[in-house]
Amino acid sequence: MTDTPGRLLSLLSLLQTPREWPGSELAERLGVSPRTIRRDVDRLRDLGYPVEATMGAAGGYRLVAGSAMPPLLLDDEEAVAIAVGLRTAAGQAVAGIEEASVRALAKLEQVLPSRLRYRVSALNKATLRVPGYGPTVEPGGLAVLAATIANREKLRFAYRTGDGTESNRLVEPHRLVSYGHRWYLVAYDNGRDDWRIFRVDRVERPVATGARTAPRELPADDAATYVKNKLRRLAETYHAVVTLHAPAEQLGGYFGDVTAIDENSCLLRSNADTLEWLAFRLTMLGCEFEVHEPPELVEYLRAMADRVHRATGA
């Protein structure tokens, strides 16, 4: 590769991969000598790209963080993925990200080749996004939380519960989890001496203390599983007991636990966090049934039956 500008762009593209590149491998990739690689690295440094070199047999080159972000070189798949991601970023529960996404997308689409603009346009025309709902969080506050997690330092903040109660918390942050259009902070609460999850939209005035912490073992496989299980336990749960007039083998495994009563009927035990879900599943079974509990489900089905009768003029 004798074209110096083209070779520099190719070298920069390789260095933007997060790894350390031996000079011999870079020389082989670009078809030049190791001496040329050293000169090209010096040229990139003169242009403001922070290329770090390590000496020794295992040494090499890598691009590190500098005072400003250098232009990124993206392949076709990366460019399409970023463009589509920016278009859908407005649906995330982060306040203010919509405007920043539009600015970044405008810069990217201006330099996209026509073949890639067509692919991005086709994807956008073929998909629809449901507008986001629920509370949003400030990017600045989210960044403070993320920084304390990365630095393993304690965090102070004011917290407001669902009923409006306010308290001051000192925690050891573990992970941020996006779940159900909300952000949650998983942390060890020093004041409660236990693990807790906090809705980030209710966190106010977060401050990093600078005090480092040792890693703690979360009582779950991962933070996402912990949040999901915790929220399910906090949600109201209805336990339904229903006699179904159909063979157990016909309905077994449909939802809940099914036990045969006789060859033409069975007993269903099922849990759900809403009466609506239980009623919907039961009416979709296609068989007669009798609800024994909970009484709230019986009342809900009666009200639903009355609405159906009125709708059909019965």
Side-chain angles (χ1 to χ4, degrees):
M1 184 178 292
T2 57
D3 177 25
T4 300
R7 189 176 66 247
L8 288 176
L9 287 174
S10 298
L11 175 60
L12 182 59
S13 178
L14 291 173
L15 290 174
Q16 285 178 349
T17 302
R19 55 162 289 192
E20 190 164 282
W21 289 89
S24 57
E25 185 175 349
L26 290 174
E28 183 180 353
R29 289 259 189 151
L30 299 179
V32 295
S33 68
R35 183 180 179 183
T36 300
I37 292 296
R38 290 193 295 271
R39 287 201 302 264
D40 286 348
V41 167
D42 288 337
R43 291 190 180 100
L44 289 178
R45 288 170 177 162
D46 292 339
L47 292 172
Y49 292 95
V51 182
E52 186 180 79
T54 55
M55 307 304 292
Y61 301 97
R62 65 188 183 97
L63 194 65
V64 298
S67 59
M69 190 180 77
L72 297 176
L73 296 176
L74 307 171
D75 62 28
D76 287 3
E77 299 302 323
E78 291 168 344
V80 170
I82 291 177
V84 173
L86 287 171
R87 285 187 176 274
T88 59
Q92 301 301 313
V94 180
I97 201 173
E98 299 92 340
E99 183 182 349
S101 300
V102 170
R103 293 199 308 269
L105 183 62
K107 294 178 181 179
L108 179 60
E109 289 190 336
Q110 183 178 357
V111 296
L112 279 179
S114 58
R115 66 181 188 280
L116 298 186
R117 281 200 300 270
Y118 174 78
R119 289 174 60 183
V120 173
S121 175
L123 279 170
N124 290 325
K125 289 179 180 179
T127 58
L128 292 175
R129 181 183 63 83
V130 177
Y133 60 89
T136 59
V137 300
E138 292 299 325
L142 202 62
V144 172
L145 270 57
T148 58
I149 292 170
N151 297 332
R152 291 181 179 172
E153 57 183 308
K154 291 185 178 182
L155 174 74
R156 288 188 185 276
F157 56 85
Y159 191 69
R160 174 179 42 82
T161 61
D163 60 6
T165 303
E166 295 185 359
S167 60
N168 294 317
R169 303 296 182 99
L170 176 65
V171 304
E172 300 172 20
H174 178 73
R175 286 290 186 276
L176 285 167
V177 177
S178 177
Y179 181 73
H181 294 274
R182 288 189 176 95
W183 284 96
Y184 294 92
L185 171 67
V186 179
Y188 188 86
D189 192 325
N190 293 134
R192 276 69 176 174
D193 197 25
D194 198 4
W195 288 94
R196 291 288 190 272
I197 61 172
F198 302 94
R199 271 180 48 175
V200 176
D201 59 288
R202 294 176 178 170
V203 171
E204 300 176 355
R205 303 184 298 280
V207 177
T209 66
R212 296 301 178 94
T213 64
R216 290 183 183 267
E217 185 175 351
L218 186 70
D221 292 337
D222 55 70
T225 301
Y226 180 77
V227 169
K228 182 170 61 175
N229 293 340
K230 190 80 169 179
L231 293 179
R232 284 180 177 175
R233 287 196 298 268
L234 292 174
E236 185 176 10
T237 301
Y238 297 96
H239 178 67
V241 180
V242 184
T243 295
L244 305 175
H245 295 283
E249 59 270 17
Q250 177 181 327
L251 299 172
Y254 193 78
F255 78 108
D257 297 324
V258 175
T259 305
I261 299 175
D262 54 40
E263 61 181 11
N264 294 314
S265 63
C266 55
L267 188 69
L268 168 70
R269 297 181 183 273
S270 182
N271 297 317
D273 56 359
T274 65
L275 296 172
E276 291 87 347
W277 178 246
L278 284 171
F280 169 76
R281 297 302 296 268
L282 287 170
T283 54
M284 293 298 292
L285 288 175
C287 66
E288 299 292 323
F289 60 88
E290 300 166 14
V291 177
H292 306 297
E293 56 181 87
E296 297 92 338
L297 179 58
V298 176
E299 292 301 320
Y300 184 86
L301 286 167
R302 284 174 179 164
M304 186 170 68
D306 289 342
R307 289 196 301 273
V308 172
H309 277 254
R310 290 193 297 270
T312 57

